[in-house]
Amino acid sequence: MHKSTEWTVLVIRVDRQEVTAVPSYGSARTRRRAALAAGVGNFMEWFDFAVYGFFAPTMGKVFFPDSSATVGLLSSLAVFGVAFFFRPIGGLVLGSLGDRRGRRFALSVSVVMMGATTTLIAALPSYQTAGMLAPVLLVVLRCLQGFSAGGEWTGSAAYLLEMTPGNRRGVYGSVISATAALATVAGSFSALVVESLVGADSLVSWGWRIPFLAAAPLALAGLYVRLRLAETPVFEELKAQGKVADKPLRSAGRKDLKPVLLTLAIAAVQGLGFYYLATYVVNYLSETVDLSRTTSLQLSAAGLLVYTALCPVAGAVSDRLGRRRVNLAGSVGYIVLGLPAFVLMGRGDVASVLLGMLLLIVPQSLVSVTTVVMLVELFPAATRSSGSATGFNIALAFVAGPGPFVASAIASATGSSVWPASYLVVVALVATVFLARHLPETAGRDIGAGDRPAEPDLVGEAR
């Protein structure tokens, strides 16, 4: 069905005149299709993230109607948070699947599961119709969503970048970061449109279901695109050499502890920064700064669109200057600019809010794109999906995911519009100290089927 892997001479070791054959990466059209396939599933994940967060108060009334408004909202948000704790489990299972059965197979499974569970949420009965069964089913579906999301980000990174030449990984990796932001904007605005067009009673009875139904065509489109793709040249090389791991999780735990810890550190900063931008800033502007919900959403969306545009720029910079330098620059940026950003946003005027968001957007673009690429470059091919998913999802579940809730608690406890930044600054500071000591430069590494990633003393394919 698919074209066989082409082979060409791309890597030459400098110290010896030794030529090594590695798989080529196909045409630019093939890489664009890979980027589309990676982007569709990632878009779905974050679209659902935005829609559920926006409709949390409404869903509290639908599934927890016997509670007060506050308890209903908190119950709905707790269900939202449950998905984070299933991400590591999904990452382990789907990551292992990607290492054993192939990157394309694992991505197809994740997009089907994600689309099916999101669509089923739209069909759930209310508490008035089904009693306690309704919230129980909601929890189950949210757990399955978290499970599928656990393999999506890292699986997309592995697939896309294994199809990409080394000197373009940053630019192509930016697709994953950018589509997350675009999906958040799209999800929030679709929810806002539904809310503005449907009356309050209709919103509770059926209006909230409309954005969730959009997952069905998105899932079908994503599955269609992914099934038409060939497997990556790297995984085909693993199969040809008999190096596909039977038990990749065990191998990753035994041999890849340092890359897993490094992934945990870079993902903690990247994930937390994005959750601040995508989730917390809207609530911060409306609840702490006292802007209207619509204005807060518009300003947040404007910031995320600027972030989307900066992602490929950050990717190109990392292709030229290296991942380590760019990632550390972003982490240090959060340490230095985090508090000033919230000082500016706390003023409440449009110019100050946008400038404050820009102080968060620039470092976030640097850490996000480099994190996507290093998820691939830090790990050997045989355990890449398992190892990267482990560190990434632990960071998101236990450090980044609770970020908006921690920031809200700090704002409530202190009454300050500035101190919510402290959690982000402290996490960035701790991670930077560790990364400055241990993070290697990975740009230019051979990410082929070797037992360990080859250091960038190779030229030609490198940079």
Side-chain angles (χ1 to χ4, degrees), residues 96-122:
S96 176
L97 198 63
D99 284 330
R100 290 185 292 109
R101 296 287 302 276
R103 320 306 192 205
R104 185 179 70 106
F105 182 82
L107 283 183
S108 298
V109 171
S110 69
V111 77
V112 169
M113 180 176 288
M114 193 182 309
T117 52
T118 303
T119 304
L120 285 172
I121 286 179

PDB file of all heavy atoms in Angstrom, residues 96-122:
ATOM      1  N   SER A  96       4.068   2.567  24.927  1.00  0.00           N
ATOM      2  CA  SER A  96       4.551   1.204  24.693  1.00  0.00           C
ATOM      3  C   SER A  96       4.023   0.655  23.377  1.00  0.00           C
ATOM      4  O   SER A  96       4.737  -0.010  22.624  1.00  0.00           O
ATOM      5  CB  SER A  96       4.122   0.296  25.851  1.00  0.00           C
ATOM      6  OG  SER A  96       4.491  -1.040  25.618  1.00  0.00           O
ATOM      7  N   LEU A  97       2.770   0.964  23.074  1.00  0.00           N
ATOM      8  CA  LEU A  97       2.177   0.526  21.817  1.00  0.00           C
ATOM      9  C   LEU A  97       2.920   1.133  20.625  1.00  0.00           C
ATOM     10  O   LEU A  97       3.169   0.458  19.620  1.00  0.00           O
ATOM     11  CB  LEU A  97       0.706   0.927  21.784  1.00  0.00           C
ATOM     12  CG  LEU A  97      -0.205   0.218  20.790  1.00  0.00           C
ATOM     13  CD1 LEU A  97      -0.291  -1.269  21.095  1.00  0.00           C
ATOM     14  CD2 LEU A  97      -1.600   0.846  20.825  1.00  0.00           C
ATOM     15  N   GLY A  98       3.282   2.408  20.743  1.00  0.00           N
ATOM     16  CA  GLY A  98       4.020   3.059  19.676  1.00  0.00           C
ATOM     17  C   GLY A  98       5.391   2.456  19.454  1.00  0.00           C
ATOM     18  O   GLY A  98       5.878   2.394  18.317  1.00  0.00           O
ATOM     19  N   ASP A  99       6.026   2.009  20.530  1.00  0.00           N
ATOM     20  CA  ASP A  99       7.351   1.380  20.398  1.00  0.00           C
ATOM     21  C   ASP A  99       7.263  -0.055  19.896  1.00  0.00           C
ATOM     22  O   ASP A  99       8.199  -0.549  19.270  1.00  0.00           O
ATOM     23  CB  ASP A  99       8.068   1.401  21.757  1.00  0.00           C
ATOM     24  CG  ASP A  99       8.612   2.776  22.108  1.00  0.00           C
ATOM     25  OD1 ASP A  99       8.953   3.530  21.177  1.00  0.00           O
ATOM     26  OD2 ASP A  99       8.687   3.101  23.308  1.00  0.00           O
ATOM     27  N   ARG A 100       6.148  -0.726  20.165  1.00  0.00           N
ATOM     28  CA  ARG A 100       6.024  -2.133  19.753  1.00  0.00           C
ATOM     29  C   ARG A 100       5.324  -2.304  18.412  1.00  0.00           C
ATOM     30  O   ARG A 100       5.703  -3.133  17.609  1.00  0.00           O
ATOM     31  CB  ARG A 100       5.267  -2.926  20.836  1.00  0.00           C
ATOM     32  CG  ARG A 100       6.055  -3.111  22.119  1.00  0.00           C
ATOM     33  CD  ARG A 100       5.333  -3.992  23.123  1.00  0.00           C
ATOM     34  NE  ARG A 100       4.128  -3.354  23.651  1.00  0.00           N
ATOM     35  CZ  ARG A 100       2.895  -3.727  23.367  1.00  0.00           C
ATOM     36  NH1 ARG A 100       2.676  -4.744  22.537  1.00  0.00           N
ATOM     37  NH2 ARG A 100       1.852  -3.095  23.883  1.00  0.00           N
ATOM     38  N   ARG A 101       4.266  -1.494  18.164  1.00  0.00           N
ATOM     39  CA  ARG A 101       3.456  -1.669  16.965  1.00  0.00           C
ATOM     40  C   ARG A 101       3.673  -0.583  15.914  1.00  0.00           C
ATOM     41  O   ARG A 101       3.195  -0.709  14.788  1.00  0.00           O
ATOM     42  CB  ARG A 101       1.970  -1.701  17.353  1.00  0.00           C
ATOM     43  CG  ARG A 101       1.574  -2.881  18.232  1.00  0.00           C
ATOM     44  CD  ARG A 101       1.555  -4.173  17.441  1.00  0.00           C
ATOM     45  NE  ARG A 101       0.644  -4.094  16.298  1.00  0.00           N
ATOM     46  CZ  ARG A 101      -0.676  -4.312  16.367  1.00  0.00           C
ATOM     47  NH1 ARG A 101      -1.232  -4.630  17.532  1.00  0.00           N
ATOM     48  NH2 ARG A 101      -1.425  -4.244  15.297  1.00  0.00           N
ATOM     49  N   GLY A 102       4.340   0.483  16.298  1.00  0.00           N
ATOM     50  CA  GLY A 102       4.584   1.543  15.333  1.00  0.00           C
ATOM     51  C   GLY A 102       3.948   2.856  15.741  1.00  0.00           C
ATOM     52  O   GLY A 102       2.932   2.883  16.452  1.00  0.00           O
ATOM     53  N   ARG A 103       4.559   3.968  15.306  1.00  0.00           N
ATOM     54  CA  ARG A 103       4.069   5.305  15.677  1.00  0.00           C
ATOM     55  C   ARG A 103       2.683   5.558  15.077  1.00  0.00           C
ATOM     56  O   ARG A 103       1.797   6.090  15.730  1.00  0.00           O
ATOM     57  CB  ARG A 103       5.027   6.388  15.195  1.00  0.00           C
ATOM     58  CG  ARG A 103       6.515   6.106  15.324  1.00  0.00           C
ATOM     59  CD  ARG A 103       6.973   5.709  16.708  1.00  0.00           C
ATOM     60  NE  ARG A 103       8.443   5.743  16.792  1.00  0.00           N
ATOM     61  CZ  ARG A 103       9.153   5.045  17.625  1.00  0.00           C
ATOM     62  NH1 ARG A 103       8.552   4.205  18.463  1.00  0.00           N
ATOM     63  NH2 ARG A 103      10.473   5.152  17.660  1.00  0.00           N
ATOM     64  N   ARG A 104       2.507   5.183  13.819  1.00  0.00           N
ATOM     65  CA  ARG A 104       1.237   5.440  13.135  1.00  0.00           C
ATOM     66  C   ARG A 104       0.087   4.686  13.800  1.00  0.00           C
ATOM     67  O   ARG A 104      -1.015   5.223  13.968  1.00  0.00           O
ATOM     68  CB  ARG A 104       1.359   5.025  11.671  1.00  0.00           C
ATOM     69  CG  ARG A 104       0.144   5.362  10.814  1.00  0.00           C
ATOM     70  CD  ARG A 104       0.379   4.941   9.375  1.00  0.00           C
ATOM     71  NE  ARG A 104       0.385   3.495   9.250  1.00  0.00           N
ATOM     72  CZ  ARG A 104      -0.604   2.787   8.711  1.00  0.00           C
ATOM     73  NH1 ARG A 104      -1.671   3.403   8.261  1.00  0.00           N
ATOM     74  NH2 ARG A 104      -0.530   1.474   8.607  1.00  0.00           N
ATOM     75  N   PHE A 105       0.319   3.441  14.197  1.00  0.00           N
ATOM     76  CA  PHE A 105      -0.723   2.641  14.829  1.00  0.00           C
ATOM     77  C   PHE A 105      -1.175   3.286  16.143  1.00  0.00           C
ATOM     78  O   PHE A 105      -2.377   3.410  16.409  1.00  0.00           O
ATOM     79  CB  PHE A 105      -0.209   1.219  15.085  1.00  0.00           C
ATOM     80  CG  PHE A 105      -1.229   0.306  15.704  1.00  0.00           C
ATOM     81  CD1 PHE A 105      -2.176  -0.332  14.921  1.00  0.00           C
ATOM     82  CD2 PHE A 105      -1.239   0.086  17.074  1.00  0.00           C
ATOM     83  CE1 PHE A 105      -3.123  -1.170  15.496  1.00  0.00           C
ATOM     84  CE2 PHE A 105      -2.172  -0.746  17.661  1.00  0.00           C
ATOM     85  CZ  PHE A 105      -3.123  -1.383  16.858  1.00  0.00           C
ATOM     86  N   ALA A 106      -0.217   3.711  16.966  1.00  0.00           N
ATOM     87  CA  ALA A 106      -0.562   4.310  18.254  1.00  0.00           C
ATOM     88  C   ALA A 106      -1.331   5.611  18.067  1.00  0.00           C
ATOM     89  O   ALA A 106      -2.285   5.898  18.804  1.00  0.00           O
ATOM     90  CB  ALA A 106       0.713   4.563  19.065  1.00  0.00           C
ATOM     91  N   LEU A 107      -0.943   6.410  17.082  1.00  0.00           N
ATOM     92  CA  LEU A 107      -1.652   7.664  16.833  1.00  0.00           C
ATOM     93  C   LEU A 107      -3.075   7.412  16.350  1.00  0.00           C
ATOM     94  O   LEU A 107      -3.996   8.169  16.689  1.00  0.00           O
ATOM     95  CB  LEU A 107      -0.888   8.494  15.799  1.00  0.00           C
ATOM     96  CG  LEU A 107       0.366   9.229  16.288  1.00  0.00           C
ATOM     97  CD1 LEU A 107       0.954  10.060  15.162  1.00  0.00           C
ATOM     98  CD2 LEU A 107       0.046  10.117  17.483  1.00  0.00           C
ATOM     99  N   SER A 108      -3.264   6.384  15.570  1.00  0.00           N
ATOM    100  CA  SER A 108      -4.615   6.051  15.103  1.00  0.00           C
ATOM    101  C   SER A 108      -5.498   5.630  16.274  1.00  0.00           C
ATOM    102  O   SER A 108      -6.674   6.019  16.359  1.00  0.00           O
ATOM    103  CB  SER A 108      -4.551   4.927  14.055  1.00  0.00           C
ATOM    104  OG  SER A 108      -3.821   5.344  12.919  1.00  0.00           O
ATOM    105  N   VAL A 109      -4.945   4.851  17.192  1.00  0.00           N
ATOM    106  CA  VAL A 109      -5.704   4.438  18.378  1.00  0.00           C
ATOM    107  C   VAL A 109      -6.082   5.652  19.221  1.00  0.00           C
ATOM    108  O   VAL A 109      -7.231   5.796  19.661  1.00  0.00           O
ATOM    109  CB  VAL A 109      -4.892   3.434  19.219  1.00  0.00           C
ATOM    110  CG1 VAL A 109      -5.593   3.165  20.563  1.00  0.00           C
ATOM    111  CG2 VAL A 109      -4.705   2.129  18.462  1.00  0.00           C
ATOM    112  N   SER A 110      -5.145   6.553  19.444  1.00  0.00           N
ATOM    113  CA  SER A 110      -5.409   7.698  20.319  1.00  0.00           C
ATOM    114  C   SER A 110      -6.461   8.622  19.719  1.00  0.00           C
ATOM    115  O   SER A 110      -7.323   9.136  20.438  1.00  0.00           O
ATOM    116  CB  SER A 110      -4.122   8.463  20.612  1.00  0.00           C
ATOM    117  OG  SER A 110      -3.635   9.123  19.461  1.00  0.00           O
ATOM    118  N   VAL A 111      -6.419   8.851  18.393  1.00  0.00           N
ATOM    119  CA  VAL A 111      -7.387   9.778  17.801  1.00  0.00           C
ATOM    120  C   VAL A 111      -8.790   9.185  17.815  1.00  0.00           C
ATOM    121  O   VAL A 111      -9.775   9.896  18.028  1.00  0.00           O
ATOM    122  CB  VAL A 111      -6.960  10.196  16.370  1.00  0.00           C
ATOM    123  CG1 VAL A 111      -7.234   9.107  15.346  1.00  0.00           C
ATOM    124  CG2 VAL A 111      -7.632  11.493  15.955  1.00  0.00           C
ATOM    125  N   VAL A 112      -8.914   7.875  17.612  1.00  0.00           N
ATOM    126  CA  VAL A 112     -10.223   7.224  17.680  1.00  0.00           C
ATOM    127  C   VAL A 112     -10.778   7.292  19.098  1.00  0.00           C
ATOM    128  O   VAL A 112     -11.953   7.645  19.319  1.00  0.00           O
ATOM    129  CB  VAL A 112     -10.140   5.762  17.212  1.00  0.00           C
ATOM    130  CG1 VAL A 112     -11.426   5.018  17.542  1.00  0.00           C
ATOM    131  CG2 VAL A 112      -9.880   5.704  15.718  1.00  0.00           C
ATOM    132  N   MET A 113      -9.951   6.959  20.074  1.00  0.00           N
ATOM    133  CA  MET A 113     -10.409   6.967  21.467  1.00  0.00           C
ATOM    134  C   MET A 113     -10.804   8.373  21.909  1.00  0.00           C
ATOM    135  O   MET A 113     -11.845   8.580  22.555  1.00  0.00           O
ATOM    136  CB  MET A 113      -9.317   6.405  22.376  1.00  0.00           C
ATOM    137  CG  MET A 113      -9.714   6.372  23.840  1.00  0.00           C
ATOM    138  SD  MET A 113      -8.465   5.588  24.883  1.00  0.00           S
ATOM    139  CE  MET A 113      -8.660   3.886  24.392  1.00  0.00           C
ATOM    140  N   MET A 114      -9.984   9.359  21.543  1.00  0.00           N
ATOM    141  CA  MET A 114     -10.264  10.727  21.933  1.00  0.00           C
ATOM    142  C   MET A 114     -11.559  11.229  21.301  1.00  0.00           C
ATOM    143  O   MET A 114     -12.406  11.842  21.965  1.00  0.00           O
ATOM    144  CB  MET A 114      -9.097  11.627  21.521  1.00  0.00           C
ATOM    145  CG  MET A 114      -9.128  13.007  22.146  1.00  0.00           C
ATOM    146  SD  MET A 114      -7.757  14.012  21.549  1.00  0.00           S
ATOM    147  CE  MET A 114      -6.368  12.916  21.819  1.00  0.00           C
ATOM    148  N   GLY A 115     -11.721  10.955  19.994  1.00  0.00           N
ATOM    149  CA  GLY A 115     -12.939  11.398  19.317  1.00  0.00           C
ATOM    150  C   GLY A 115     -14.182  10.717  19.847  1.00  0.00           C
ATOM    151  O   GLY A 115     -15.224  11.364  20.043  1.00  0.00           O
ATOM    152  N   ALA A 116     -14.095   9.415  20.103  1.00  0.00           N
ATOM    153  CA  ALA A 116     -15.252   8.665  20.578  1.00  0.00           C
ATOM    154  C   ALA A 116     -15.684   9.127  21.967  1.00  0.00           C
ATOM    155  O   ALA A 116     -16.878   9.339  22.222  1.00  0.00           O
ATOM    156  CB  ALA A 116     -14.932   7.172  20.595  1.00  0.00           C
ATOM    157  N   THR A 117     -14.732   9.295  22.875  1.00  0.00           N
ATOM    158  CA  THR A 117     -15.100   9.683  24.242  1.00  0.00           C
ATOM    159  C   THR A 117     -15.648  11.106  24.285  1.00  0.00           C
ATOM    160  O   THR A 117     -16.611  11.383  25.022  1.00  0.00           O
ATOM    161  CB  THR A 117     -13.885   9.570  25.179  1.00  0.00           C
ATOM    162  OG1 THR A 117     -12.766  10.283  24.616  1.00  0.00           O
ATOM    163  CG2 THR A 117     -13.494   8.131  25.386  1.00  0.00           C
ATOM    164  N   THR A 118     -15.063  12.015  23.504  1.00  0.00           N
ATOM    165  CA  THR A 118     -15.563  13.393  23.495  1.00  0.00           C
ATOM    166  C   THR A 118     -16.974  13.445  22.915  1.00  0.00           C
ATOM    167  O   THR A 118     -17.847  14.152  23.426  1.00  0.00           O
ATOM    168  CB  THR A 118     -14.622  14.305  22.681  1.00  0.00           C
ATOM    169  OG1 THR A 118     -13.309  14.228  23.218  1.00  0.00           O
ATOM    170  CG2 THR A 118     -15.095  15.750  22.722  1.00  0.00           C
ATOM    171  N   THR A 119     -17.220  12.692  21.848  1.00  0.00           N
ATOM    172  CA  THR A 119     -18.557  12.664  21.252  1.00  0.00           C
ATOM    173  C   THR A 119     -19.570  12.045  22.216  1.00  0.00           C
ATOM    174  O   THR A 119     -20.724  12.506  22.313  1.00  0.00           O
ATOM    175  CB  THR A 119     -18.539  11.868  19.938  1.00  0.00           C
ATOM    176  OG1 THR A 119     -17.560  12.437  19.062  1.00  0.00           O
ATOM    177  CG2 THR A 119     -19.902  11.901  19.258  1.00  0.00           C
ATOM    178  N   LEU A 120     -19.165  11.022  22.943  1.00  0.00           N
ATOM    179  CA  LEU A 120     -20.073  10.372  23.887  1.00  0.00           C
ATOM    180  C   LEU A 120     -20.453  11.297  25.044  1.00  0.00           C
ATOM    181  O   LEU A 120     -21.556  11.175  25.590  1.00  0.00           O
ATOM    182  CB  LEU A 120     -19.442   9.082  24.430  1.00  0.00           C
ATOM    183  CG  LEU A 120     -19.430   7.900  23.457  1.00  0.00           C
ATOM    184  CD1 LEU A 120     -18.621   6.747  24.037  1.00  0.00           C
ATOM    185  CD2 LEU A 120     -20.846   7.447  23.127  1.00  0.00           C
ATOM    186  N   ILE A 121     -19.566  12.214  25.408  1.00  0.00           N
ATOM    187  CA  ILE A 121     -19.924  13.186  26.444  1.00  0.00           C
ATOM    188  C   ILE A 121     -21.135  13.996  26.003  1.00  0.00           C
ATOM    189  O   ILE A 121     -22.027  14.319  26.806  1.00  0.00           O
ATOM    190  CB  ILE A 121     -18.720  14.100  26.760  1.00  0.00           C
ATOM    191  CG1 ILE A 121     -17.683  13.336  27.574  1.00  0.00           C
ATOM    192  CG2 ILE A 121     -19.163  15.355  27.526  1.00  0.00           C
ATOM    193  CD1 ILE A 121     -16.441  14.128  27.919  1.00  0.00           C
ATOM    194  N   ALA A 122     -21.183  14.326  24.696  1.00  0.00           N
ATOM    195  CA  ALA A 122     -22.323  15.078  24.176  1.00  0.00           C
ATOM    196  C   ALA A 122     -23.628  14.304  24.292  1.00  0.00           C
ATOM    197  O   ALA A 122     -24.714  14.899  24.307  1.00  0.00           O
ATOM    198  CB  ALA A 122     -22.072  15.455  22.719  1.00  0.00           C
TER     199      ALA A 122
END
